[in-house]
Amino acid sequence: MNLHLRQLKAFLGVAETSNFTRTAQKLHMSQAALSSSIRELENQLDCNLFERTTRNVELTEAGHQFLPTAARVVEELEWSSQQLKETHRVRCSRLRVGFTPTLAAHAFPEMLELFQRAHPQVHIDVVDEAPRRLQELVEGGSVDAAFGAFFQKASGIEQLPVSPSSLVLVHSNQDDTVGSSVEWSVLEDHALIALSDVSPVQQLVQSAVKRHNVKVRCAMTVSHLETAVALAERGIGVTVIPSFATAVCRRFKVNVARLQPPVRFNYCRIVKMGRPPNENLEYFTNLVIDRLRETETPWMVRARVHES
């Protein structure tokens, strides 16, 4: 059995008016289309729902029996449809985004301020978690979108590259022995303030030093990127961070150097696969893109122009 809402509405309309012409006008359809819908419904149910004469259209016994069921189904479907539309409207007026902790602290507040100026009616929340946890939240539908460098594949997730990135060296601005562009071998001359082994950034660093046969002397290991930069400011050692995170460096007396050969990857936005379009999210995504462009240091811009 394959009943359609169109057929049920046609049946209820004729049952109410007892007239095909008036019902067709009320439903904004041709009389032929209305008659066809009723015939299709009767064929599906294998019975006649109306007694048709030259003067009257009346419900048969089967029609009377089917009437309350059809009315209830149509009412519930229309109510459910209205509820879904309302839920979508509410969701569109609320946005929940995820960031890794560094950008949540150093870039999101400014993005939030800019977004609220343009969309004061939209409430926006931020979730600051590690990349793997953000992927889980997006996949589970708890977060509309998350931003970060995601190296682990996840099912049901769509990735949109937001900004190209690479690894950079951060050192105290009191150390004038490091230029604006250095090879990985520079790490042999400085103690490294490393991130923990579970950090995707640290895993990239370890892969690069192994590939280039660089012997690294580790000063200490910390869990947070901002801690590593603060220690680099004090001359405890140097650290390696993603170029998209250089916004944190503005609060410290440090310099940033491009590492050669470069280790490139993308800063991305992830969303759950198949999610409906959201204009608020697209606007916010463009703010993220613009903000990351602004945080690029001049040597990054020159490097990109030169390499292209």
PDB file of all heavy atoms in Angstrom, residues 216-235:
ATOM      1  N   VAL A 216      67.264  16.121  18.269  1.00  0.00           N
ATOM      2  CA  VAL A 216      66.574  17.129  19.075  1.00  0.00           C
ATOM      3  C   VAL A 216      66.896  16.934  20.553  1.00  0.00           C
ATOM      4  O   VAL A 216      66.890  15.815  21.063  1.00  0.00           O
ATOM      5  CB  VAL A 216      65.052  17.051  18.858  1.00  0.00           C
ATOM      6  CG1 VAL A 216      64.329  18.017  19.785  1.00  0.00           C
ATOM      7  CG2 VAL A 216      64.709  17.354  17.414  1.00  0.00           C
ATOM      8  N   ARG A 217      67.179  18.052  21.213  1.00  0.00           N
ATOM      9  CA  ARG A 217      67.387  18.056  22.662  1.00  0.00           C
ATOM     10  C   ARG A 217      66.166  18.716  23.294  1.00  0.00           C
ATOM     11  O   ARG A 217      65.893  19.895  23.067  1.00  0.00           O
ATOM     12  CB  ARG A 217      68.657  18.837  23.001  1.00  0.00           C
ATOM     13  CG  ARG A 217      68.922  18.994  24.498  1.00  0.00           C
ATOM     14  CD  ARG A 217      70.328  19.533  24.720  1.00  0.00           C
ATOM     15  NE  ARG A 217      70.561  20.751  23.955  1.00  0.00           N
ATOM     16  CZ  ARG A 217      70.340  21.975  24.435  1.00  0.00           C
ATOM     17  NH1 ARG A 217      69.868  22.124  25.657  1.00  0.00           N
ATOM     18  NH2 ARG A 217      70.591  23.034  23.687  1.00  0.00           N
ATOM     19  N   CYS A 218      65.422  17.957  24.066  1.00  0.00           N
ATOM     20  CA  CYS A 218      64.151  18.443  24.617  1.00  0.00           C
ATOM     21  C   CYS A 218      64.369  19.133  25.963  1.00  0.00           C
ATOM     22  O   CYS A 218      64.928  18.547  26.894  1.00  0.00           O
ATOM     23  CB  CYS A 218      63.180  17.277  24.774  1.00  0.00           C
ATOM     24  SG  CYS A 218      61.517  17.782  25.226  1.00  0.00           S
ATOM     25  N   ALA A 219      63.927  20.388  26.035  1.00  0.00           N
ATOM     26  CA  ALA A 219      64.031  21.136  27.292  1.00  0.00           C
ATOM     27  C   ALA A 219      62.976  20.671  28.283  1.00  0.00           C
ATOM     28  O   ALA A 219      63.247  20.476  29.471  1.00  0.00           O
ATOM     29  CB  ALA A 219      63.879  22.630  27.028  1.00  0.00           C
ATOM     30  N   MET A 220      61.750  20.506  27.788  1.00  0.00           N
ATOM     31  CA  MET A 220      60.649  20.012  28.602  1.00  0.00           C
ATOM     32  C   MET A 220      59.452  19.748  27.699  1.00  0.00           C
ATOM     33  O   MET A 220      59.430  20.173  26.535  1.00  0.00           O
ATOM     34  CB  MET A 220      60.283  20.998  29.721  1.00  0.00           C
ATOM     35  CG  MET A 220      59.739  22.314  29.236  1.00  0.00           C
ATOM     36  SD  MET A 220      59.305  23.423  30.612  1.00  0.00           S
ATOM     37  CE  MET A 220      60.924  23.733  31.324  1.00  0.00           C
ATOM     38  N   THR A 221      58.461  19.077  28.242  1.00  0.00           N
ATOM     39  CA  THR A 221      57.226  18.776  27.502  1.00  0.00           C
ATOM     40  C   THR A 221      56.042  19.379  28.248  1.00  0.00           C
ATOM     41  O   THR A 221      55.926  19.218  29.475  1.00  0.00           O
ATOM     42  CB  THR A 221      57.030  17.256  27.359  1.00  0.00           C
ATOM     43  OG1 THR A 221      58.135  16.703  26.632  1.00  0.00           O
ATOM     44  CG2 THR A 221      55.742  16.952  26.603  1.00  0.00           C
ATOM     45  N   VAL A 222      55.188  20.076  27.514  1.00  0.00           N
ATOM     46  CA  VAL A 222      54.006  20.697  28.108  1.00  0.00           C
ATOM     47  C   VAL A 222      52.765  20.260  27.329  1.00  0.00           C
ATOM     48  O   VAL A 222      52.862  19.743  26.218  1.00  0.00           O
ATOM     49  CB  VAL A 222      54.114  22.241  28.119  1.00  0.00           C
ATOM     50  CG1 VAL A 222      55.299  22.689  28.970  1.00  0.00           C
ATOM     51  CG2 VAL A 222      54.242  22.787  26.703  1.00  0.00           C
ATOM     52  N   SER A 223      51.614  20.493  27.909  1.00  0.00           N
ATOM     53  CA  SER A 223      50.362  20.056  27.275  1.00  0.00           C
ATOM     54  C   SER A 223      49.701  21.134  26.432  1.00  0.00           C
ATOM     55  O   SER A 223      48.941  20.829  25.516  1.00  0.00           O
ATOM     56  CB  SER A 223      49.372  19.574  28.346  1.00  0.00           C
ATOM     57  OG  SER A 223      49.888  18.467  29.038  1.00  0.00           O
ATOM     58  N   HIS A 224      49.998  22.413  26.741  1.00  0.00           N
ATOM     59  CA  HIS A 224      49.283  23.491  26.064  1.00  0.00           C
ATOM     60  C   HIS A 224      50.234  24.355  25.246  1.00  0.00           C
ATOM     61  O   HIS A 224      51.333  24.717  25.707  1.00  0.00           O
ATOM     62  CB  HIS A 224      48.534  24.354  27.076  1.00  0.00           C
ATOM     63  CG  HIS A 224      47.512  23.587  27.853  1.00  0.00           C
ATOM     64  ND1 HIS A 224      46.347  23.136  27.295  1.00  0.00           N
ATOM     65  CD2 HIS A 224      47.505  23.158  29.146  1.00  0.00           C
ATOM     66  CE1 HIS A 224      45.645  22.479  28.210  1.00  0.00           C
ATOM     67  NE2 HIS A 224      46.329  22.478  29.335  1.00  0.00           N
ATOM     68  N   LEU A 225      49.779  24.704  24.060  1.00  0.00           N
ATOM     69  CA  LEU A 225      50.584  25.497  23.136  1.00  0.00           C
ATOM     70  C   LEU A 225      50.959  26.846  23.740  1.00  0.00           C
ATOM     71  O   LEU A 225      52.087  27.312  23.590  1.00  0.00           O
ATOM     72  CB  LEU A 225      49.814  25.671  21.826  1.00  0.00           C
ATOM     73  CG  LEU A 225      50.478  26.368  20.653  1.00  0.00           C
ATOM     74  CD1 LEU A 225      49.957  25.774  19.351  1.00  0.00           C
ATOM     75  CD2 LEU A 225      50.206  27.862  20.675  1.00  0.00           C
ATOM     76  N   GLU A 226      50.033  27.482  24.430  1.00  0.00           N
ATOM     77  CA  GLU A 226      50.306  28.793  25.010  1.00  0.00           C
ATOM     78  C   GLU A 226      51.412  28.714  26.064  1.00  0.00           C
ATOM     79  O   GLU A 226      52.239  29.619  26.180  1.00  0.00           O
ATOM     80  CB  GLU A 226      49.034  29.375  25.624  1.00  0.00           C
ATOM     81  CG  GLU A 226      49.182  30.818  26.060  1.00  0.00           C
ATOM     82  CD  GLU A 226      47.850  31.445  26.414  1.00  0.00           C
ATOM     83  OE1 GLU A 226      46.824  30.750  26.351  1.00  0.00           O
ATOM     84  OE2 GLU A 226      47.845  32.645  26.759  1.00  0.00           O
ATOM     85  N   THR A 227      51.453  27.618  26.799  1.00  0.00           N
ATOM     86  CA  THR A 227      52.519  27.426  27.779  1.00  0.00           C
ATOM     87  C   THR A 227      53.868  27.331  27.082  1.00  0.00           C
ATOM     88  O   THR A 227      54.868  27.910  27.537  1.00  0.00           O
ATOM     89  CB  THR A 227      52.270  26.147  28.596  1.00  0.00           C
ATOM     90  OG1 THR A 227      50.984  26.214  29.202  1.00  0.00           O
ATOM     91  CG2 THR A 227      53.334  25.970  29.669  1.00  0.00           C
ATOM     92  N   ALA A 228      53.904  26.611  25.970  1.00  0.00           N
ATOM     93  CA  ALA A 228      55.151  26.462  25.217  1.00  0.00           C
ATOM     94  C   ALA A 228      55.657  27.812  24.717  1.00  0.00           C
ATOM     95  O   ALA A 228      56.849  28.120  24.779  1.00  0.00           O
ATOM     96  CB  ALA A 228      54.937  25.504  24.043  1.00  0.00           C
ATOM     97  N   VAL A 229      54.743  28.653  24.221  1.00  0.00           N
ATOM     98  CA  VAL A 229      55.135  29.974  23.721  1.00  0.00           C
ATOM     99  C   VAL A 229      55.627  30.855  24.865  1.00  0.00           C
ATOM    100  O   VAL A 229      56.613  31.596  24.729  1.00  0.00           O
ATOM    101  CB  VAL A 229      53.953  30.644  22.977  1.00  0.00           C
ATOM    102  CG1 VAL A 229      54.306  32.077  22.575  1.00  0.00           C
ATOM    103  CG2 VAL A 229      53.580  29.829  21.738  1.00  0.00           C
ATOM    104  N   ALA A 230      54.965  30.787  26.025  1.00  0.00           N
ATOM    105  CA  ALA A 230      55.388  31.588  27.186  1.00  0.00           C
ATOM    106  C   ALA A 230      56.790  31.197  27.635  1.00  0.00           C
ATOM    107  O   ALA A 230      57.605  32.054  27.996  1.00  0.00           O
ATOM    108  CB  ALA A 230      54.396  31.409  28.324  1.00  0.00           C
ATOM    109  N   LEU A 231      57.110  29.916  27.587  1.00  0.00           N
ATOM    110  CA  LEU A 231      58.439  29.454  27.964  1.00  0.00           C
ATOM    111  C   LEU A 231      59.481  29.879  26.925  1.00  0.00           C
ATOM    112  O   LEU A 231      60.612  30.241  27.282  1.00  0.00           O
ATOM    113  CB  LEU A 231      58.438  27.928  28.109  1.00  0.00           C
ATOM    114  CG  LEU A 231      57.638  27.384  29.304  1.00  0.00           C
ATOM    115  CD1 LEU A 231      57.491  25.870  29.189  1.00  0.00           C
ATOM    116  CD2 LEU A 231      58.315  27.768  30.610  1.00  0.00           C
ATOM    117  N   ALA A 232      59.085  29.866  25.658  1.00  0.00           N
ATOM    118  CA  ALA A 232      59.992  30.319  24.600  1.00  0.00           C
ATOM    119  C   ALA A 232      60.318  31.795  24.781  1.00  0.00           C
ATOM    120  O   ALA A 232      61.445  32.246  24.536  1.00  0.00           O
ATOM    121  CB  ALA A 232      59.374  30.063  23.231  1.00  0.00           C
ATOM    122  N   GLU A 233      59.342  32.584  25.227  1.00  0.00           N
ATOM    123  CA  GLU A 233      59.567  34.006  25.469  1.00  0.00           C
ATOM    124  C   GLU A 233      60.672  34.216  26.500  1.00  0.00           C
ATOM    125  O   GLU A 233      61.486  35.144  26.399  1.00  0.00           O
ATOM    126  CB  GLU A 233      58.270  34.660  25.952  1.00  0.00           C
ATOM    127  CG  GLU A 233      58.428  36.142  26.267  1.00  0.00           C
ATOM    128  CD  GLU A 233      57.202  36.721  26.968  1.00  0.00           C
ATOM    129  OE1 GLU A 233      56.595  36.001  27.803  1.00  0.00           O
ATOM    130  OE2 GLU A 233      56.866  37.881  26.683  1.00  0.00           O
ATOM    131  N   ARG A 234      60.728  33.343  27.496  1.00  0.00           N
ATOM    132  CA  ARG A 234      61.718  33.466  28.565  1.00  0.00           C
ATOM    133  C   ARG A 234      63.075  32.872  28.182  1.00  0.00           C
ATOM    134  O   ARG A 234      64.007  32.878  28.991  1.00  0.00           O
ATOM    135  CB  ARG A 234      61.199  32.749  29.811  1.00  0.00           C
ATOM    136  CG  ARG A 234      59.979  33.413  30.431  1.00  0.00           C
ATOM    137  CD  ARG A 234      60.321  34.788  30.963  1.00  0.00           C
ATOM    138  NE  ARG A 234      59.165  35.432  31.577  1.00  0.00           N
ATOM    139  CZ  ARG A 234      59.212  36.618  32.170  1.00  0.00           C
ATOM    140  NH1 ARG A 234      60.367  37.264  32.225  1.00  0.00           N
ATOM    141  NH2 ARG A 234      58.134  37.147  32.693  1.00  0.00           N
ATOM    142  N   GLY A 235      63.182  32.372  26.975  1.00  0.00           N
ATOM    143  CA  GLY A 235      64.456  31.839  26.526  1.00  0.00           C
ATOM    144  C   GLY A 235      64.750  30.444  27.042  1.00  0.00           C
ATOM    145  O   GLY A 235      65.900  29.985  26.976  1.00  0.00           O
TER     146      GLY A 235
END
